[in-house]
């Protein structure tokens, strides 16, 4: 059985999005070459990326046009990987998903993802998309969290865990970075 992982960048005060611009502009403060290299390890078992509408549009808008001549070695490698990866966008408002290897799911997340989890394959990863994570939490679909906590407080935004969420988690991995970011990996108990 495949598992579903929420891969998130998080502020120290618990927000996954600032709700400003792309919502993730604060991640650059602690994003370093060391963290970029470790991200390859974090997502090594991912074979399917899942996005909510907002995150999909941002990721598609950027990564579908990469790499460029100005791209770093890491950006080039990530662009090649993400453009080849199977992708799913969950939205009730998009009419189509144009990024290569992407399909659109417009309803019944529980049924669709239960079916996907039962198929052969590796890890299904939700990237950012905190509102989508909330829906998956409500449906009991998340098996694991892989979180990079950034040393920044933004005061408001979209939290990773909505109010009244209760979960028992088991730490399976952690690593700190010179930039001040900390990676934690938790299994849902």
């Amino acid at each position: 059985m495949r598992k579903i992982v929420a891969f998130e960048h998080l502020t120290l005060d618990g927000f996954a999005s600032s709700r400003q611009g792309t919502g993730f502009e604060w991640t650059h403060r602690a994003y370093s070459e060391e963290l970029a290299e470790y991200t390859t390890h974090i997502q090594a078992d991912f074979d399917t990326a899942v996005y909510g509408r907002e995150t999909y549009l941002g990721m598609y808008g950027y990564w579908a046009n990469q790499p460029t001549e100005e791209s770093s070695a890491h950006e080039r490698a990530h662009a090649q990987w993400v453009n080849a990866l199977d992708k799913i966008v969950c939205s009730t408002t998009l009419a189509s998903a144009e990024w290569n290897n992407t399909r659109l799911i417009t309803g019944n997340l529980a049924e669709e993802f239960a079916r996907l989890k039962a198929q052969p394959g590796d890890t299904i990863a939700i990237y950012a998309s905190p509102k989508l994570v909330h829906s998956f939490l409500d449906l009991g679909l998340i098996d694991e969290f892989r979180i990079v906590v950034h040393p920044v407080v933004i005061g408001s935004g979209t939290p990773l865990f909505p109010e009244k969420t209760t979960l028992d988690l088991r730490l399976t991995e952690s690593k700190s970075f010179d930039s001040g970011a900390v990676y934690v990996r938790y299994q849902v108990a």
Side-chain angles (χ1 to χ4, degrees):
M1 171 88 76
R2 298 168 79 185
K3 64 184 168 189
I4 296 178
V5 168
F7 179 34
E8 300 293 326
H9 289 267
L10 196 64
T11 65
L12 192 57
D13 53 345
F15 296 106
S17 171
S18 68
R19 294 189 212 135
Q20 307 293 317
T22 63
F24 312 111
E25 69 289 339
W26 46 267
T27 61
H28 77 278
R29 297 176 196 167
Y31 210 86
S32 64
E33 198 61 38
E34 179 189 23
L35 177 55
E37 288 176 24
Y38 200 77
T39 299
T40 303
H41 161 75
I42 294 170
Q43 59 193 16
D45 62 334
F46 296 173
D47 70 358
T48 305
V50 180
Y51 307 104
R53 181 187 57 80
E54 292 174 23
T55 304
Y56 167 77
L57 292 173
M59 297 293 265
Y60 170 55
Y62 183 78
W63 288 109
N65 298 307
Q66 295 296 319
T68 64
E69 289 182 25
E70 295 81 33
S71 299
S72 69
H74 172 73
E75 288 171 322
R76 287 177 186 279
H78 184 74
Q80 183 178 18
W81 177 79
V82 76
N83 281 302
L85 191 68
D86 286 335
K87 294 170 282 296
I88 297 170
V89 59
C90 300
S91 174
T92 58
T93 58
L94 283 179
S96 64
E98 303 302 324
W99 198 0
N100 62 306
N101 305 324
T102 302
R103 72 183 188 102
L104 177 63
I105 293 179
T106 59
N108 205 335
L109 295 176
E111 182 180 305
E112 290 281 351
F113 282 91
R115 187 180 55 73
L116 285 169
K117 284 179 79 167
Q119 292 177 351
D122 222 330
T123 300
I124 301 166
I126 304 169
Y127 278 83
S129 309
K131 291 182 234 172
L132 183 61
V133 170
H134 298 173
S135 296
F136 275 62
L137 281 168
D138 287 345
L139 296 168
L141 290 172
I142 297 179
D143 301 297
E144 188 175 290
F145 290 89
R146 298 182 191 180
I147 301 169
V148 177
V149 181
H150 291 258
V152 62
V153 174
I154 62 173
S156 66
T158 305
L160 176 57
F161 300 103
E163 197 172 308
K164 299 186 182 181
T165 299
T166 59
L167 290 171
D168 287 325
L169 304 170
R170 185 174 69 82
L171 181 67
T172 60
E173 183 181 359
S174 65
K175 179 170 176 49
S176 61
F177 300 92
D178 290 342
S179 66
V182 177
Y183 169 66
V184 290
R185 180 176 178 176
Y186 289 105
Q187 277 185 336
V188 176

